[in-house]
Amino acid sequence: MKNFLNILIFTCIGVLLISCDNDDDKFSGSPVGNQSIETINGTISTDAEFALPGQEINFTATIPAEFRALVTDTVTVQATAYSMGGSIRNASVDILPGETSATEKITVPGGGGTFDLAFDLKLTAIALKKTVPGKHFLLTSNTVNIASGNSGVPSTNDKRLKLSIDWENKTSINRLRVKVERVKLTTITLRGTQGSGNIKIGTTTYPINFSSDLETTAANFVSAQVSAISANHGIDVTSVGSDIQFKYYTDTPPVITIASVGSNGVRGDVYGEVNVGPVTDWPKSYFFSASKLGTTSEGTATPTANSSYAYTPGEYRIKIGVNSDADLASAPLDLKYRLVLRYPNGDIKIYNGVYNNLSGTSGYKSVLTVTKTGLGDQTTYTDLFTP
């Protein structure tokens, strides 16, 4: 950010004055001699409709064509963001010769402690590379008001997609809960070295027997039961290594469990839907990675936080809700919520919504679907918000 030298502040008109670049000029709070004052009416714009404290957003500063005809060299324009809480952030941008506009980033100011905030963005100063003799220039512009809030922005210290979920009055008064579902796919990761077990879909039991290794055990189970499972439940079953995958086509996931026969039989971990945070843990904001299903900043996920299954590509559905009316100050309640996504490349997306008539009987509402494609450095993400 460039320093603006010799700025004379006129509080009565609310704009900043840049003095001439002259050794005889003195910073006295008023123009020197008979130099004339000219006000430049610039324009500021941004593509941000909502932004959070600490987030960088683009702004475009534009100066009038008639001013550019008078001052043909580079000019530096300052933008200022003012928050409701009193914080101020500045950023400057060079408008090059022959151009009337330029784009730069500014950091959103913080301040205030409410769920809903706002800040103003405007142009506040102009500095000339080559001054115009005998003239002082003021800069004013339109003011852009941008909605904001006190939600945190996830940190960027790895290559994972991160999601923070925030809501209004996120205290012991309102206790929102989060679930993550692997869309239309449940996986059992087998464990054990001998014996047998039972996989149950709903109330129907299918035996599974250990065969030399877990990969062979999974493949043999699929060969033996694929037809029956398809006929009885409309579920496609396949094996990938030691994983048995159950693909279904309804919005309601089937109840699939596995239990060993005896203490040392074939067993496994079931991955379909996880509760983010245990039932006794009510963090103010949930934080997990879609590439690592169930990882949270506060609390742990169930049944397993860091499963290898969770790294697989596919669709993940984020749901919000409460377990009972006791989770809310009153029920039913229209509860404002906010989703903040930080992509591995640093891009941030923010979604705001309202869960209308939220209660202990309203169920878990799907609000975001994240699709992961590829693995490792080739991983990409897309998302779909459904308020």
Short mmCIF file of all heavy atoms in Angstrom, two decimals, residues 82-129:
data_model
loop_
_atom_site.label_atom_id
_atom_site.label_comp_id
_atom_site.label_asym_id
_atom_site.label_seq_id
_atom_site.Cartn_x
_atom_site.Cartn_y
_atom_site.Cartn_z
N TYR A 82 -15.10 1.12 5.63
CA TYR A 82 -15.49 1.50 6.98
C TYR A 82 -16.51 0.50 7.49
O TYR A 82 -17.56 0.31 6.88
CB TYR A 82 -16.14 2.89 6.99
CG TYR A 82 -15.35 3.99 6.32
CD1 TYR A 82 -15.45 4.20 4.95
CD2 TYR A 82 -14.55 4.84 7.07
CE1 TYR A 82 -14.75 5.23 4.34
CE2 TYR A 82 -13.85 5.88 6.46
CZ TYR A 82 -13.96 6.06 5.08
OH TYR A 82 -13.27 7.09 4.49
N SER A 83 -16.23 -0.15 8.63
CA SER A 83 -17.18 -1.10 9.18
C SER A 83 -18.11 -0.41 10.17
O SER A 83 -17.81 0.68 10.69
CB SER A 83 -16.47 -2.25 9.88
OG SER A 83 -15.98 -1.85 11.14
N MET A 84 -19.24 -1.06 10.47
CA MET A 84 -20.18 -0.54 11.46
C MET A 84 -19.53 -0.46 12.84
O MET A 84 -19.89 0.37 13.65
CB MET A 84 -21.41 -1.44 11.52
CG MET A 84 -22.30 -1.40 10.31
SD MET A 84 -23.60 -2.67 10.37
CE MET A 84 -24.36 -2.33 11.94
N GLY A 85 -18.56 -1.35 13.08
CA GLY A 85 -17.90 -1.37 14.38
C GLY A 85 -16.80 -0.35 14.54
O GLY A 85 -16.16 -0.27 15.58
N GLY A 86 -16.53 0.44 13.49
CA GLY A 86 -15.55 1.50 13.58
C GLY A 86 -14.20 1.19 12.98
O GLY A 86 -13.32 2.06 12.95
N SER A 87 -13.98 -0.03 12.50
CA SER A 87 -12.69 -0.37 11.90
C SER A 87 -12.59 0.19 10.49
O SER A 87 -13.60 0.33 9.78
CB SER A 87 -12.51 -1.89 11.87
OG SER A 87 -12.48 -2.42 13.18
N ILE A 88 -11.34 0.49 10.08
CA ILE A 88 -11.08 1.07 8.76
C ILE A 88 -9.94 0.32 8.10
O ILE A 88 -8.93 0.02 8.75
CB ILE A 88 -10.73 2.57 8.87
CG1 ILE A 88 -11.92 3.36 9.45
CG2 ILE A 88 -10.35 3.14 7.50
CD1 ILE A 88 -11.62 4.82 9.68
N ARG A 89 -10.09 0.01 6.82
CA ARG A 89 -9.01 -0.58 6.03
C ARG A 89 -8.83 0.23 4.75
O ARG A 89 -9.83 0.64 4.13
CB ARG A 89 -9.32 -2.03 5.68
CG ARG A 89 -9.28 -2.99 6.85
CD ARG A 89 -7.88 -3.14 7.40
NE ARG A 89 -7.80 -4.15 8.45
CZ ARG A 89 -7.44 -5.40 8.27
NH1 ARG A 89 -7.14 -5.81 7.05
NH2 ARG A 89 -7.39 -6.25 9.26
N ASN A 90 -7.57 0.45 4.35
CA ASN A 90 -7.27 1.19 3.13
C ASN A 90 -6.52 0.31 2.14
O ASN A 90 -5.80 -0.63 2.54
CB ASN A 90 -6.40 2.42 3.43
CG ASN A 90 -7.12 3.44 4.29
OD1 ASN A 90 -8.24 3.81 3.99
ND2 ASN A 90 -6.48 3.89 5.36
N ALA A 91 -6.67 0.62 0.89
CA ALA A 91 -5.89 -0.03 -0.17
C ALA A 91 -5.76 0.95 -1.33
O ALA A 91 -6.64 1.78 -1.55
CB ALA A 91 -6.57 -1.31 -0.64
N SER A 92 -4.65 0.88 -2.05
CA SER A 92 -4.44 1.80 -3.16
C SER A 92 -4.20 1.04 -4.45
O SER A 92 -3.78 -0.12 -4.43
CB SER A 92 -3.25 2.71 -2.88
OG SER A 92 -2.06 1.96 -2.75
N VAL A 93 -4.46 1.70 -5.55
CA VAL A 93 -4.28 1.09 -6.86
C VAL A 93 -3.77 2.14 -7.83
O VAL A 93 -4.20 3.31 -7.78
CB VAL A 93 -5.62 0.48 -7.36
CG1 VAL A 93 -6.70 1.53 -7.50
CG2 VAL A 93 -5.41 -0.27 -8.67
N ASP A 94 -2.84 1.76 -8.69
CA ASP A 94 -2.32 2.66 -9.73
C ASP A 94 -3.18 2.57 -10.98
O ASP A 94 -3.45 1.47 -11.48
CB ASP A 94 -0.88 2.28 -10.09
CG ASP A 94 0.11 2.62 -8.99
OD1 ASP A 94 -0.23 3.47 -8.15
OD2 ASP A 94 1.20 2.01 -8.96
N ILE A 95 -3.58 3.72 -11.47
CA ILE A 95 -4.26 3.80 -12.76
C ILE A 95 -3.24 4.32 -13.77
O ILE A 95 -2.75 5.44 -13.67
CB ILE A 95 -5.50 4.72 -12.69
CG1 ILE A 95 -6.47 4.19 -11.62
CG2 ILE A 95 -6.18 4.79 -14.04
CD1 ILE A 95 -7.72 5.05 -11.45
N LEU A 96 -2.89 3.49 -14.72
CA LEU A 96 -1.77 3.76 -15.62
C LEU A 96 -2.14 4.76 -16.71
O LEU A 96 -3.34 4.98 -16.99
CB LEU A 96 -1.30 2.44 -16.24
CG LEU A 96 -0.81 1.38 -15.25
CD1 LEU A 96 -0.43 0.11 -15.99
CD2 LEU A 96 0.33 1.90 -14.40
N PRO A 97 -1.14 5.34 -17.35
CA PRO A 97 -1.41 6.29 -18.45
C PRO A 97 -2.29 5.64 -19.52
O PRO A 97 -2.09 4.47 -19.89
CB PRO A 97 -0.01 6.60 -19.00
CG PRO A 97 0.90 6.39 -17.84
CD PRO A 97 0.32 5.25 -17.07
N GLY A 98 -3.23 6.41 -20.02
CA GLY A 98 -4.15 5.92 -21.05
C GLY A 98 -5.32 5.14 -20.50
O GLY A 98 -6.24 4.79 -21.25
N GLU A 99 -5.32 4.83 -19.19
CA GLU A 99 -6.40 4.06 -18.58
C GLU A 99 -7.20 4.97 -17.65
O GLU A 99 -6.67 5.91 -17.06
CB GLU A 99 -5.86 2.88 -17.78
CG GLU A 99 -5.01 1.92 -18.59
CD GLU A 99 -5.82 1.15 -19.61
OE1 GLU A 99 -7.05 1.00 -19.40
OE2 GLU A 99 -5.24 0.70 -20.61
N THR A 100 -8.49 4.66 -17.50
CA THR A 100 -9.33 5.40 -16.57
C THR A 100 -9.76 4.56 -15.37
O THR A 100 -10.42 5.07 -14.46
CB THR A 100 -10.59 5.93 -17.28
OG1 THR A 100 -11.31 4.82 -17.84
CG2 THR A 100 -10.24 6.92 -18.38
N SER A 101 -9.39 3.28 -15.34
CA SER A 101 -9.78 2.44 -14.22
C SER A 101 -8.72 1.37 -13.96
O SER A 101 -7.90 1.06 -14.83
CB SER A 101 -11.14 1.78 -14.46
OG SER A 101 -11.08 0.90 -15.57
N ALA A 102 -8.76 0.81 -12.78
CA ALA A 102 -7.86 -0.29 -12.39
C ALA A 102 -8.51 -1.04 -11.24
O ALA A 102 -9.34 -0.51 -10.50
CB ALA A 102 -6.49 0.24 -12.00
N THR A 103 -8.10 -2.30 -11.08
CA THR A 103 -8.69 -3.18 -10.06
C THR A 103 -7.62 -3.65 -9.10
O THR A 103 -6.50 -3.97 -9.49
CB THR A 103 -9.37 -4.39 -10.73
OG1 THR A 103 -10.42 -3.92 -11.59
CG2 THR A 103 -9.95 -5.33 -9.70
N GLU A 104 -7.98 -3.70 -7.83
CA GLU A 104 -7.07 -4.17 -6.77
C GLU A 104 -7.90 -4.84 -5.69
O GLU A 104 -9.13 -4.92 -5.79
CB GLU A 104 -6.29 -2.97 -6.21
CG GLU A 104 -5.14 -3.29 -5.29
CD GLU A 104 -4.20 -4.34 -5.81
OE1 GLU A 104 -3.27 -4.00 -6.57
OE2 GLU A 104 -4.42 -5.51 -5.46
N LYS A 105 -7.24 -5.35 -4.67
CA LYS A 105 -7.93 -6.01 -3.56
C LYS A 105 -7.85 -5.15 -2.30
O LYS A 105 -6.88 -4.42 -2.10
CB LYS A 105 -7.30 -7.38 -3.27
CG LYS A 105 -7.48 -8.39 -4.39
CD LYS A 105 -6.88 -9.73 -4.02
CE LYS A 105 -7.05 -10.75 -5.15
NZ LYS A 105 -8.47 -11.07 -5.38
N ILE A 106 -8.87 -5.28 -1.47
CA ILE A 106 -8.89 -4.62 -0.17
C ILE A 106 -9.37 -5.64 0.86
O ILE A 106 -10.21 -6.49 0.55
CB ILE A 106 -9.79 -3.37 -0.18
CG1 ILE A 106 -9.61 -2.58 1.13
CG2 ILE A 106 -11.25 -3.72 -0.40
CD1 ILE A 106 -10.26 -1.21 1.10
N THR A 107 -8.82 -5.57 2.06
CA THR A 107 -9.20 -6.48 3.13
C THR A 107 -10.40 -5.93 3.89
O THR A 107 -10.42 -4.75 4.26
CB THR A 107 -8.03 -6.70 4.10
OG1 THR A 107 -6.91 -7.22 3.37
CG2 THR A 107 -8.40 -7.68 5.19
N VAL A 108 -11.38 -6.76 4.11
CA VAL A 108 -12.60 -6.33 4.79
C VAL A 108 -12.29 -6.04 6.26
O VAL A 108 -11.64 -6.85 6.94
CB VAL A 108 -13.68 -7.42 4.68
CG1 VAL A 108 -14.92 -7.04 5.48
CG2 VAL A 108 -14.03 -7.66 3.22
N PRO A 109 -12.73 -4.88 6.79
CA PRO A 109 -12.48 -4.56 8.19
C PRO A 109 -13.37 -5.36 9.12
O PRO A 109 -14.45 -5.81 8.74
CB PRO A 109 -12.80 -3.06 8.26
CG PRO A 109 -13.83 -2.86 7.20
CD PRO A 109 -13.46 -3.81 6.09
N GLY A 110 -12.91 -5.54 10.36
CA GLY A 110 -13.72 -6.21 11.37
C GLY A 110 -14.47 -5.21 12.21
O GLY A 110 -14.70 -4.07 11.80
N GLY A 111 -14.82 -5.63 13.41
CA GLY A 111 -15.53 -4.72 14.31
C GLY A 111 -16.97 -5.14 14.49
O GLY A 111 -17.64 -5.57 13.55
N GLY A 112 -17.46 -5.03 15.70
CA GLY A 112 -18.82 -5.42 15.99
C GLY A 112 -18.88 -6.88 16.38
O GLY A 112 -17.99 -7.66 16.10
N GLY A 113 -19.97 -7.27 17.02
CA GLY A 113 -20.08 -8.64 17.48
C GLY A 113 -21.41 -9.28 17.19
O GLY A 113 -21.87 -10.13 17.95
N THR A 114 -22.05 -8.85 16.13
CA THR A 114 -23.35 -9.41 15.80
C THR A 114 -23.24 -10.29 14.56
O THR A 114 -22.28 -10.20 13.80
CB THR A 114 -24.39 -8.30 15.53
OG1 THR A 114 -23.96 -7.54 14.40
CG2 THR A 114 -24.52 -7.40 16.73
N PHE A 115 -24.25 -11.13 14.38
CA PHE A 115 -24.25 -12.04 13.23
C PHE A 115 -24.33 -11.27 11.92
O PHE A 115 -23.71 -11.63 10.93
CB PHE A 115 -25.43 -13.01 13.36
CG PHE A 115 -25.45 -14.08 12.32
CD1 PHE A 115 -24.62 -15.20 12.46
CD2 PHE A 115 -26.28 -14.02 11.23
CE1 PHE A 115 -24.64 -16.20 11.51
CE2 PHE A 115 -26.31 -15.01 10.28
CZ PHE A 115 -25.48 -16.12 10.42
N ASP A 116 -25.13 -10.19 11.90
CA ASP A 116 -25.31 -9.38 10.70
C ASP A 116 -24.62 -8.03 10.88
O ASP A 116 -24.93 -7.28 11.80
CB ASP A 116 -26.79 -9.15 10.41
CG ASP A 116 -27.49 -10.43 10.04
OD1 ASP A 116 -26.92 -11.22 9.29
OD2 ASP A 116 -28.62 -10.66 10.54
N LEU A 117 -23.68 -7.73 9.98
CA LEU A 117 -22.98 -6.45 9.98
C LEU A 117 -23.06 -5.85 8.58
O LEU A 117 -23.76 -6.35 7.71
CB LEU A 117 -21.52 -6.64 10.38
CG LEU A 117 -21.23 -7.19 11.78
CD1 LEU A 117 -19.76 -7.52 11.91
CD2 LEU A 117 -21.65 -6.20 12.84
N ALA A 118 -22.33 -4.77 8.37
CA ALA A 118 -22.21 -4.17 7.04
C ALA A 118 -20.99 -3.26 7.05
O ALA A 118 -20.50 -2.86 8.11
CB ALA A 118 -23.47 -3.36 6.68
N PHE A 119 -20.47 -2.95 5.87
CA PHE A 119 -19.40 -1.96 5.77
C PHE A 119 -19.56 -1.17 4.48
O PHE A 119 -20.17 -1.64 3.52
CB PHE A 119 -18.01 -2.60 5.86
CG PHE A 119 -17.66 -3.50 4.71
CD1 PHE A 119 -16.96 -3.01 3.61
CD2 PHE A 119 -18.00 -4.85 4.74
CE1 PHE A 119 -16.62 -3.85 2.56
CE2 PHE A 119 -17.66 -5.69 3.69
CZ PHE A 119 -16.97 -5.19 2.60
N ASP A 120 -19.03 0.06 4.50
CA ASP A 120 -19.08 0.95 3.34
C ASP A 120 -17.73 0.96 2.65
O ASP A 120 -16.68 0.90 3.30
CB ASP A 120 -19.45 2.37 3.75
CG ASP A 120 -20.89 2.50 4.19
OD1 ASP A 120 -21.71 1.68 3.75
OD2 ASP A 120 -21.21 3.41 4.98
N LEU A 121 -17.76 1.10 1.34
CA LEU A 121 -16.54 1.15 0.54
C LEU A 121 -16.62 2.35 -0.38
O LEU A 121 -17.61 2.54 -1.10
CB LEU A 121 -16.42 -0.14 -0.28
CG LEU A 121 -15.18 -0.33 -1.15
CD1 LEU A 121 -13.93 -0.40 -0.29
CD2 LEU A 121 -15.31 -1.60 -1.98
N LYS A 122 -15.58 3.20 -0.36
CA LYS A 122 -15.58 4.40 -1.21
C LYS A 122 -14.14 4.79 -1.53
O LYS A 122 -13.19 4.32 -0.92
CB LYS A 122 -16.32 5.55 -0.53
CG LYS A 122 -15.65 6.03 0.75
CD LYS A 122 -16.49 7.09 1.46
CE LYS A 122 -16.69 8.33 0.61
NZ LYS A 122 -17.43 9.39 1.31
N LEU A 123 -13.98 5.69 -2.52
CA LEU A 123 -12.68 6.27 -2.85
C LEU A 123 -12.45 7.49 -1.99
O LEU A 123 -13.35 8.31 -1.80
CB LEU A 123 -12.63 6.64 -4.33
CG LEU A 123 -12.85 5.50 -5.33
CD1 LEU A 123 -12.76 6.02 -6.76
CD2 LEU A 123 -11.85 4.37 -5.10
N THR A 124 -11.22 7.63 -1.46
CA THR A 124 -10.97 8.68 -0.47
C THR A 124 -9.77 9.57 -0.76
O THR A 124 -9.61 10.60 -0.11
CB THR A 124 -10.77 8.04 0.92
OG1 THR A 124 -9.75 7.03 0.83
CG2 THR A 124 -12.06 7.42 1.42
N ALA A 125 -8.89 9.19 -1.68
CA ALA A 125 -7.71 10.03 -1.92
C ALA A 125 -7.13 9.73 -3.29
O ALA A 125 -7.32 8.65 -3.84
CB ALA A 125 -6.66 9.81 -0.84
N ILE A 126 -6.42 10.74 -3.83
CA ILE A 126 -5.76 10.57 -5.11
C ILE A 126 -4.39 11.24 -5.04
O ILE A 126 -4.24 12.33 -4.48
CB ILE A 126 -6.60 11.15 -6.27
CG1 ILE A 126 -5.96 10.84 -7.62
CG2 ILE A 126 -6.84 12.64 -6.08
CD1 ILE A 126 -6.87 11.15 -8.80
N ALA A 127 -3.38 10.57 -5.57
CA ALA A 127 -2.02 11.11 -5.60
C ALA A 127 -1.52 11.09 -7.03
O ALA A 127 -1.73 10.11 -7.76
CB ALA A 127 -1.10 10.30 -4.69
N LEU A 128 -0.87 12.17 -7.45
CA LEU A 128 -0.38 12.28 -8.81
C LEU A 128 1.11 11.98 -8.87
O LEU A 128 1.88 12.42 -8.01
CB LEU A 128 -0.63 13.69 -9.36
CG LEU A 128 -2.03 14.26 -9.20
CD1 LEU A 128 -2.11 15.61 -9.91
CD2 LEU A 128 -3.08 13.31 -9.72
N LYS A 129 1.52 11.27 -9.88
CA LYS A 129 2.95 11.04 -10.09
C LYS A 129 3.62 12.33 -10.55
O LYS A 129 4.74 12.65 -10.15
CB LYS A 129 3.15 9.94 -11.13
CG LYS A 129 4.61 9.51 -11.30
CD LYS A 129 4.73 8.32 -12.22
CE LYS A 129 6.18 7.87 -12.35
NZ LYS A 129 6.32 6.70 -13.25
#
